[in-house]
Amino acid sequence: MKILLLGSGELGKEFTIAAQRIGQTVIAVDSYENAPAMQVAHGFEVINMLDGEALDKIVAKHQPDFIVPEIEAIRTERFYDYEKQGITVVPSAKAANFTMNRKAIRDLASKELGLRTANYRYATSAEELQKGVEAVGMPCVVKPLMSSSGKGQSTIKTAADIDKAWQYAVEGSRGDVVEVIVEAFVKFNSEITLLTVVQNDNPTLFCAPIGHRQERGDYQESWQPAKISDAALYEAQDMAEKVTEALGGAGLFGVEFFLADDGVYFSELSPRPHDTGMVTLAGTQNFNEFELHLRAILSLPIFEITLEKAGASAVILASENSTNPTFTGIEKIAALPKTDFRIFGKPTSRPYRRMGVALVNDTLDTAIEEVVEKAKAAAGLVKVIAN
């Protein structure tokens, strides 16, 4: 099978490796050369994926069996035409369109499916944002409708923050959508990602819940399994199954939830492997999230997903701009027991850009907090050097 991968970052790279292992052909696409997935794919294309005509040309050129989006900034309305041509869009054209824009997925979850979410409003100007803040109250969170890795996300605590939040959201927005969502702050105790695997001809499966900590709207550490009550886990699984069923298609979805005293809140959904799910590269499961996504796409039956170990991931961040970053401390992290790492191979760095990840595993009876601290310490050994 030939797969056209739209977006070629670190998640796409691991997906490509999984595909290569079972003989699939991958063409990696991104807006810059030498993106991580391009380094391991059979071929690559460099285009602006918001240019619909350019997208049409590479689809016609490669005639893929599958189109697998990895990022948000894609002219996703073209996907419906590709499906009519007999190409499988992953998970589906509808899922890709709805989840690339926070407005569509939030309205589906809240208004159509009746899932519990934070109170929210939309805004297309600083003035509308002001009204939205008045409606949901402070503190509240502002996010661009199209963004990734926390770009453009901020918290409004006072009226003085509103204009700054609007400008930051516009600057961090991907695509040509200049609109934001403002959400009431949920007093949550923790947040989880529930990796949900939708199969074409077999039951939907769930990975053990993944906990994570964020800064600047981007994950810093993730761990599996996360602590959650049986009742809350059942509620989260029920919500995840409802929303993924409504979106259609097959593949792995990263469904995010807040766990609060009054129950589980649906937060966001990604129709693809999730950054917090990189913890599965630590060997926590019988299949990592990239292998699960691939198998579900190809309709290879997945009998079960088993939790094998406790694990944690911690990001390795750059602190400076560089066109040729190098790394120190690799030998130190390599010498640690039950520890692994990934260097993504991004050709440039900038402050807070995710350049790699440290991975730690241990037995299931090990306190997860201990595993997380080991991952954080391991990540701290590696430094990104600007050249």
Side-chain angles (χ1 to χ4, degrees):
M1 294 291 185
K2 182 185 284 188
I3 297 169
L4 191 66
L5 178 67
L6 301 182
S8 299
E10 59 266 31
L11 301 179
K13 184 175 187 176
E14 293 294 339
F15 173 80
T16 301
I17 291 170
Q20 294 269 23
R21 283 178 174 151
I22 59 171
Q24 309 305 300
T25 299
V26 179
I27 307 300
V29 184
D30 215 311
S31 59
Y32 65 97
E33 287 191 23
N34 203 31
M38 293 179 185
Q39 300 163 21
V40 294
H42 290 85
F44 69 91
E45 299 281 355
V46 178
I47 65 164
N48 173 9
M49 286 173 282
L50 287 169
D51 183 336
E53 291 185 4
L55 200 57
D56 289 346
K57 286 179 181 177
I58 64 163
V59 171
K61 174 182 176 180
H62 292 284
Q63 291 293 302
D65 300 290
F66 297 91
I67 293 175
V68 179
E70 191 232 16
I71 62 171
E72 290 80 6
I74 304 171
R75 191 61 63 193
T76 54
E77 62 268 23
R78 289 291 213 274
F79 288 173
Y80 292 105
D81 288 334
Y82 303 153
E83 280 191 339
K84 290 176 182 176
Q85 295 172 29
I87 301 169
T88 300
V89 177
V90 174
S92 65
K94 178 182 178 181
N97 269 277
F98 272 55
T99 55
M100 292 300 179
N101 186 310
R102 288 186 169 100
K103 189 172 191 174
I105 189 63
R106 178 57 61 90
D107 286 350
L108 171 69
S110 177
K111 295 179 179 179
E112 293 187 35
L113 300 178
L115 306 187
R116 185 189 290 115
T117 70
N119 187 15
Y120 65 96
R121 297 291 188 277
Y122 301 115
T124 57
S125 67
E127 292 73 25
E128 287 187 7
L129 179 57
Q130 171 84 41
K131 294 178 182 177
V133 172
E134 291 172 359
V136 305
M138 292 185 281
C140 56
V141 178
V142 177
K143 306 172 187 175
L145 289 189
M146 285 184 66
S147 69
S148 65
S149 300
K151 293 180 178 66
Q153 179 175 321
S154 62
T155 301
I156 292 176
K157 297 179 180 178
T158 68
D161 297 330
I162 295 176
D163 283 339
K164 290 185 291 185
W166 170 256
Q167 291 299 327
Y168 185 62
V170 171
E171 291 168 4
S173 179
R174 285 191 173 188
D176 48 13
V177 177
V178 183
E179 189 170 5
V180 304
I181 182 172
V182 52
E183 302 176 316
F185 189 78
V186 176
K187 294 181 179 178
F188 61 89
N189 302 313
S190 61
E191 50 189 328
I192 65 164
T193 304
L194 188 63
L195 299 179
T196 303
V197 183
V198 181
Q199 303 186 79
N200 279 315
D201 301 310
N202 289 287
T204 294
L205 301 176
F206 303 98
C207 299
I210 295 169
H212 51 92
R213 184 182 71 84
Q214 295 191 40
E215 285 182 11
R216 300 171 299 277
D218 199 6
Y219 111 96
Q220 303 300 299
E221 301 96 35
S222 64
W223 54 92
Q224 188 185 35
K227 294 179 180 178
I228 181 173
S229 69
D230 290 343
L233 181 58
Y234 177 80
E235 187 176 1
Q237 290 176 341
D238 181 62
M239 294 167 79
E241 189 157 18
K242 285 178 179 175
V243 71
T244 54
E245 182 178 346
L247 291 170
L252 179 141
F253 294 76
V255 192
E256 296 181 60
F257 297 97
F258 296 122
L259 307 182
D261 288 341
D262 59 342
V264 178
Y265 285 75
F266 172 85
S267 175
E268 293 189 342
L269 180 147
S270 298
R272 57 188 181 276
H274 201 269
D275 51 5
T276 63
M278 282 193 281
V279 67
T280 61
L281 294 171
T284 54
Q285 303 181 161
N286 56 334
F287 298 112
N288 67 45
E289 66 167 343
F290 308 99
E291 294 165 334
L292 290 169
H293 192 44
L294 178 70
R295 285 168 183 254
I297 290 168
L298 298 178
S299 295
L300 297 175
I302 304 163
F303 178 70
E304 63 179 351
I305 304 170
T306 58
L307 183 66
E308 302 293 323
K309 301 175 184 177
S313 74
V315 297
I316 297 168
L317 300 178
S319 59
E320 299 178 74
N321 292 305
S322 175
T323 57
N324 185 30
T326 56
F327 299 82
T328 64
I330 298 296
E331 70 287 346
K332 294 179 181 177
I333 194 172
L336 296 174
K338 300 180 180 179
T339 301
D340 199 358
F341 63 95
R342 298 286 188 278
I343 300 298
F344 302 143
K346 294 179 179 179
T348 62
S349 68
R350 58 179 178 268
Y352 302 117
R353 190 177 198 190
R354 194 163 58 217
M355 305 298 289
V357 65
L359 303 161
V360 174
N361 68 70
D362 216 319
T363 58
L364 286 171
D365 58 359
T366 305
I368 198 66
E369 296 84 359
E370 182 180 324
V371 185
V372 173
E373 287 304 314
K374 288 181 179 178
K376 288 171 63 177
L381 295 174
V382 181
K383 304 300 180 186
V384 183
I385 307 301
N387 293 300

